[in-house]
Each structure stands twice: as structure tokens, then as C-alpha cells.
Amino acid sequence: MNAVLRTVNRVLLGLAGLLLLAFGAAVLVGALDLPRHWGFSLPSGWPFRGPDDVLLTAGDRRRWRDRGWWWPVVLAALAVLALLAVWWLVVQLRRRRVRDVVLGGDDPVVLVRGHALEEALAAEAGALDGVERAGVMLVGRRSAPRARVVLVLGAGAVPEAVLRRFRVEVLGAARTSAGLARLPAEVRLRTVRHRAERVG
């Protein structure tokens, strides 16, 4: 799931960057009157052809003035885009991955790499009876990390027993060894999918 979200984020950022770059280049070429200075011609559909061009001409602005639905639709679309942008930003901030974790104890400057702690937690969780695979991601602040855990359970595993052992043996040990007062965790359980078998 995390890999999918990272891929979606990269694709969205790439598309947004390309669109902004293309729009900026179109405006810059027209505003600086580069075709006249450098002696080249623009395609027929180029939006800005000279320094005097504007985004919306007077005709474009007057074209929809008598349509009562036009400006409410434009404002609603802009509001939806703004809300989506704010939602995306909030999701990114909430999913901020912890790079380093501040260890407790007498020396507050001791740090451990967040990725190393994630791998250690995943390895210990994967070694529990009934767990086929485990994935861990630390989010939040480095002085107060939170764990997001995915446990893939094998056939015959008892979820309640797995969660109890994970809380005591894995989270408890990690909290003690890192000297953390708290290490809250959000655990998602999944099962291994098997192909259907024919009988009879």
C-alpha cells in the first residue's frame, strides 16, 4: 500500500510539474517576444504569441457573461481543486516518515535510523508464529514516533494471539530498548490468499 501511495504521489507531482513547466514556457516565449527576436514561428495553437497577449481576452470574458451558470461552475471547480490540494497536503504531512528516532535515557542526542528500527520491528514481527510477512513504517515526530504495521497472517493463525504477542514481544521490546515512553501502533491484519482447490 505504501509503495502504491508513493507511486501515485510521484506521478501526480510529475504531472503537475510538467503542466506548470509547459504553461510557464508558453507564457515566457510570448512575453519575451522570442519568435521575433530569435526568428522562429510558433504553432497555430500556441496560446501566447506576443507581449500584449492575455490569458482571457475581452471577448472571452464577455462570452459567458449572460450565462447564469458559468461563474458558479468556475468557482465551484476552483474550490474543489483547492480542497483536493489541501487534502493531499494534509495526507503528506500525516504520513511523514521518521528518518531518525531519538533514543531515551541519559544522553538525548543518541539517534537511530528510522529505517533500521523499521527493519528490526518487521523482522521480529515476521518471526512470530502465524505471521507470513510483516511491514512496518514509522511516522510522526522523531521524539514520539508511531508505528504503522501490516501483518500478513498464514493459514490457521489466531489474530488475537498474534496481536497479543506482537504488542508484548515486539512493541514492548522495541519501546524498552529505545527508551521510549510510548510507541503507539496501528496494526492491519491481512491473510495470505490461496488458490481455490478442486475436491472430489
Side-chain angles (χ1 to χ4, degrees), residues 95-182:
R95 296 189 61 83
R96 185 176 58 184
R97 197 165 194 165
V98 175
R99 293 195 173 191
D100 301 302
V101 176
V102 179
L103 298 184
D106 298 330
D107 192 355
V109 299
V110 176
L111 301 176
V112 64
R113 293 294 300 270
H115 185 64
L117 187 55
E118 289 172 350
E119 289 185 341
L121 285 169
E124 292 182 11
L128 295 175
D129 292 337
V131 177
E132 295 285 337
R133 294 188 307 276
V136 178
M137 183 174 70
L138 295 176
V139 297
R141 293 173 294 134
R142 64 180 190 170
S143 59
R146 305 187 311 274
R148 292 184 176 173
V149 184
V150 176
L151 300 178
V152 181
L153 304 182
V158 181
E160 184 180 356
V162 171
L163 283 175
R164 183 170 57 250
R165 291 193 61 189
F166 175 79
R167 185 178 66 250
V168 174
E169 299 178 20
V170 179
L171 277 184
R175 188 171 57 247
T176 301
S177 61
L180 297 172
R182 297 177 66 250

Side-chain angles (χ1 to χ4, degrees), residues 16-131:
L18 288 175
L19 288 174
L20 290 174
L21 183 63
F23 185 76
V27 172
L28 192 62
V29 167
L32 297 179
D33 204 9
L34 295 183
R36 186 173 62 85
H37 291 300
W38 292 357
F40 64 90
S41 59
L42 294 172
S44 60
W46 198 267
F48 304 101
R49 294 186 165 275
D52 297 328
D53 284 345
V54 294
L55 181 60
L56 289 175
T57 64
D60 292 332
R61 294 193 300 271
R62 287 194 298 266
R63 180 182 305 172
W64 305 103
R65 186 174 294 177
D66 58 341
R67 307 291 177 89
W69 56 267
W70 170 248
W71 287 114
V73 168
V74 170
L75 294 177
L78 292 176
V80 169
L81 287 176
L83 288 175
L84 287 175
V86 170
W87 170 81
W88 182 80
L89 179 62
V90 170
V91 169
Q92 303 313 306
L93 293 176
R94 287 184 61 189
R95 296 189 61 83
R96 185 176 58 184
R97 197 165 194 165
V98 175
R99 293 195 173 191
D100 301 302
V101 176
V102 179
L103 298 184
D106 298 330
D107 192 355
V109 299
V110 176
L111 301 176
V112 64
R113 293 294 300 270
H115 185 64
L117 187 55
E118 289 172 350
E119 289 185 341
L121 285 169
E124 292 182 11
L128 295 175
D129 292 337
V131 177

